[in-house]
Amino acid sequence: MISFMYSAAINGIDANIVEVEIYISAGMPNFSIVGLPDAAVKESKDRVTAALKNSGFDFPSKKITVNLAPADIKKEGGAFDLPIALGILASTGKIKKENLSGFCAAGELALDGKIRSVRGMLPISLSLKKHKIEKFIVPFKNREEAAVAANVNVYPFKTLLETVRFLNKEIIREPFKCDMSAQEEDYGFGEYDFADIKGQFAAKRAAEVAAAGSHNMIMSGPPGSGKTMIAKRIPGILPQMSFDESVETTKIWSASGQSFSGGLIRQRTFRSPHHTVSAVALAGGGAYPKPGEVSLAHNGDLFLDEFAEFRRDALEVLRQPLEDKCVTVSRAKSSLNFPASFMLVAAMNPCPCGNLGHKEKQCVCNLNQIQKYRNKISGPLVDRIDIHIEVPALKVSELTETTIAAESSVKIKERVCKARKIQFERFQNTKIHSNSQMGVKEIKKYCVLDAQAKNILKNAIEKLGLSARAYDRILKVARTIADLEGIENIKTAHIAEAVQYRSFDRQR
């Protein structure tokens, strides 16, 4: 007898609908799974056999063939355990075949029949909408994630036996509805507040400008000057993600198997990989490509500490996502495109010993060592970073001063959100969300300069030898500075401040 139901296979960050066909025939007892399964799927027969027996069902001593169609798509993980088990029960008459009609199921089975959570529930749920499949059986722990997609009835269960009783209509279960209002997280800044940072007013101002326009930023300064403290506090001043941004980010994390609470990721992500990270881990890849750190930081913040210590090949893979806001991973077996619209924040020392430019400590590096250290970061990569800021060592008086109260993250965030609101209204009905994403047409339209501002920018280009890309980025940053002040036209002071944020260009 043949039974049939739907499941899904994760491909990158999307899901492909898979038809699970079970055929039980006479012959020597055998259990085979075909349709390009990986090792985890092949092992499903042992989990399914134990789960069925421990749930009180007889396992058929016949030849069982499971076909996962289409056969040319790679099937990975334990998500096919549940549909295979249900299909076997339907083929043996324990479940009426018509009761499986229109259902999709995904879940890993424990040996005792419990249903374990699996990755990729949100991509699967979203794909069901496209194929007009309206009923989805999921593990209980994945219920909120799966229910984010509208027009899909989600039925969560804890055990195989409970699922069978539902399909046999022995119990009634209403579709699970995800309460989005309950998904709101506490956006308190907790231990990370800009008020904790003493001094460094110029660096904090640069961080505010970067957050207001989603500009990439690199900080250079000696150890202990506060670079990491500033970077860790930037997510606290970023505006809350929109619903569409939350869905995009959650989809990536779900497909990658990353853990998160609730149905949606509502707070902007902060990723900080170690400097020993490989190029594949950073950009994504593998035999069957999966998202890397740049995609996990989508709509959030990617912090690279000790920037010059990263492998050269790892840093160079940042070029495409910084420019195109996506990364294309091509392999012999597949080629996938992952979204990677993130805000890059990098921090590095000015030299190997870290004391170059320190007022109290002497640098022990020679010119050759300094140049070799700086050359670890290529010019084209630096050119793609909007804001360069030097973070000097703090004076003793700044460290011990207690009377000057620094601005809190709450006040800074208010200004950032106002600037982002201006940008939202400016770029309505477009795919652009912030000033950093402006193209040539938008720059010409929204970054008009008066004669004095043009002269300042012209002199800066001639003296610093700026590239065309750096020219555009100065205009984008100046546009953001004007937005922070709520001014429609870019003024001379805005251009002058934006030019000051190209300190690396002055060093090269």
Side-chain angles (χ1 to χ4, degrees):
M1 296 180 67
I2 297 177
S3 64
F4 162 89
M5 78 176 307
Y6 293 109
S7 190
I10 301 299
N11 182 27
I13 61 171
D14 295 310
N16 294 319
I17 298 301
V18 174
E19 297 179 2
V20 182
E21 301 170 329
I22 290 88
Y23 176 52
I24 299 180
S25 60
M28 292 293 291
N30 185 41
F31 192 160
S32 62
I33 300 175
V34 297
L36 207 58
D38 73 344
V41 179
K42 290 179 180 179
E43 293 169 353
S44 176
K45 56 187 178 182
D46 297 316
R47 294 191 296 270
V48 169
T49 301
L52 286 173
K53 290 181 177 179
N54 290 320
S55 297
F57 300 105
D58 294 328
F59 191 81
S61 297
K62 295 182 179 181
K63 184 178 180 180
I64 302 173
T65 304
V66 178
N67 181 39
L68 306 177
D72 59 342
I73 297 176
K74 183 71 174 178
K75 320 301 188 305
E76 297 179 291
F80 296 99
D81 291 2
L82 183 58
I84 289 173
L86 295 175
I88 291 174
L89 292 172
S91 293
T92 56
K94 301 299 181 181
I95 301 175
K96 292 183 179 180
K97 290 184 180 180
E98 56 269 23
N99 291 352
L100 295 182
S101 178
F103 272 100
C104 177
E108 180 182 328
L109 290 176
L111 300 183
D112 61 356
K114 292 180 181 177
I115 303 176
R116 292 183 172 137
S117 61
V118 293
R119 69 182 181 93
M121 278 298 163
L122 180 55
I124 294 173
S125 190
L126 293 172
S127 69
L128 295 182
K129 292 172 60 180
K130 299 177 183 178
H131 291 81
K132 297 182 180 179
I133 300 172
E134 299 179 353
K135 295 177 285 188
F136 191 16
I137 297 174
V138 304
F140 188 79
K141 290 184 178 180
N142 291 126
R143 64 193 186 283
E144 292 183 340
E145 179 187 339
V148 167
N151 302 322
V152 175
N153 294 323
V154 174
Y155 299 94
F157 296 100
K158 294 182 179 180
T159 65
L160 175 61
L161 182 59
E162 186 183 11
T163 308
V164 173
R165 293 184 64 195
F166 165 74
L167 291 171
N168 285 332
K169 300 181 180 179
E170 296 174 8
I171 60 173
I172 298 175
R173 183 67 55 85
E174 294 297 323
F176 175 80
K177 300 297 182 182
C178 184
D179 184 7
M180 290 301 172
S181 62
Q183 295 289 324
E184 296 296 328
E185 299 181 16
D186 181 12
Y187 281 84
F189 304 108
E191 57 183 319
Y192 297 125
D193 196 310
F194 270 96
D196 302 329
I197 301 175
K198 297 182 178 180
Q200 305 299 9
F201 300 107
K204 288 189 284 187
R205 166 65 176 177
E208 179 182 338
V209 174
S214 191
H215 299 288
N216 303 314
M217 181 175 76
I218 182 169
M219 297 177 284
S220 175
S225 56
K227 303 185 297 295
T228 303
M229 286 186 70
I230 293 172
K232 288 184 176 180
R233 282 153 179 77
I234 289 177
I237 62 174
L238 294 175
Q240 183 178 344
M241 285 196 290
S242 65
F243 178 78
D244 289 340
E245 289 176 325
S246 293
V247 171
E248 289 176 355
T249 304
T250 307
K251 183 179 177 182
I252 296 170
W253 278 55
S254 175
S256 303
Q258 300 289 323
S259 60
F260 56 93
S261 60
L264 277 180
I265 297 174
R266 303 304 297 266
Q267 190 155 7
R268 295 190 183 272
T269 56
F270 178 80
R271 304 291 296 183
S272 181
H274 193 260
H275 64 262
T276 56
V277 66
S278 67
V280 172
L282 195 59
Y288 296 93
K290 293 183 179 180
E293 291 291 339
V294 296
S295 296
L296 293 174
H298 183 61
N299 292 322
D301 186 0
L302 177 65
F303 175 47
L304 302 183
D305 202 3
E306 303 297 342
F307 198 47
E309 300 298 335
F310 281 77
R311 289 169 44 177
R312 181 67 178 260
D313 62 330
L315 290 180
E316 292 307 308
V317 301
L318 293 173
R319 290 196 195 183
Q320 185 198 7
L322 286 177
E323 194 74 18
D324 301 332
K325 304 302 180 183
C326 66
V327 58
T328 302
V329 180
S330 298
R331 296 292 182 268
K333 297 180 180 179
S334 61
S335 178
L336 295 172
N337 188 282
F338 299 126
S341 179
F342 59 91
M343 175 182 166
L344 173 66
V345 179
M348 62 177 289
N349 296 329
C351 67
C353 76
N355 294 327
L356 182 66
H358 201 292
K359 295 182 179 179
E360 299 177 359
K361 296 181 181 180
Q362 186 175 358
C363 176
V364 297
C365 307
N366 58 46
L367 291 176
N368 187 40
Q369 290 175 318
I370 295 172
Q371 193 60 42
K372 184 179 179 181
Y373 183 78
R374 290 179 176 174
N375 286 342
K376 290 182 179 180
I377 306 170
S378 67
L381 178 58
V382 171
D383 214 27
R384 287 169 166 80
I385 299 177
D386 303 3
I387 296 176
H388 314 156
I389 189 72
E390 294 180 7
V391 185
L394 288 172
K395 299 177 183 178
V396 176
S397 58
E398 291 177 312
L399 284 171
T400 57
E401 183 63 58
T402 58
T403 57
I404 300 177
E407 250 190 331
S408 68
S409 292
V410 175
K411 292 183 178 180
I412 298 174
K413 183 176 180 178
E414 288 177 0
R415 295 196 295 268
V416 169
C417 289
K418 287 180 180 179
R420 284 290 186 102
K421 185 178 180 181
I422 293 173
Q423 294 165 54
F424 176 78
E425 294 173 352
R426 176 183 298 138
F427 302 123
Q428 272 187 336
N429 303 321
T430 68
K431 294 182 179 180
I432 298 174
H433 303 293
S434 61
N435 288 334
S436 65
Q437 298 175 344
M438 285 193 294
V440 176
K441 292 182 180 179
E442 290 78 21
I443 291 174
K444 288 182 178 180
K445 183 176 181 180
Y446 299 114
C447 300
V448 180
L449 306 180
D450 57 27
Q452 189 176 0
K454 283 183 179 179
N455 288 332
I456 292 177
L457 187 53
K458 180 181 178 181
N459 292 333
I461 293 171
E462 292 175 349
K463 291 181 179 179
L464 301 178
L466 300 178
S467 66
R469 183 182 287 113
Y471 170 81
D472 287 344
R473 295 188 182 278
I474 288 175
L475 290 176
K476 292 178 185 180
V477 173
R479 177 67 270 169
T480 300
I481 296 170
D483 289 342
L484 280 169
E485 296 182 10
I487 298 176
E488 182 177 355
N489 298 321
I490 298 175
K491 303 295 183 182
T492 305
H494 305 148
I495 286 292
E497 183 178 349
V499 170
Q500 290 299 312
Y501 294 142
R502 303 297 300 183
S503 61
F504 274 47
D505 292 325
R506 295 195 294 270
Q507 296 174 4
R508 290 179 179 269

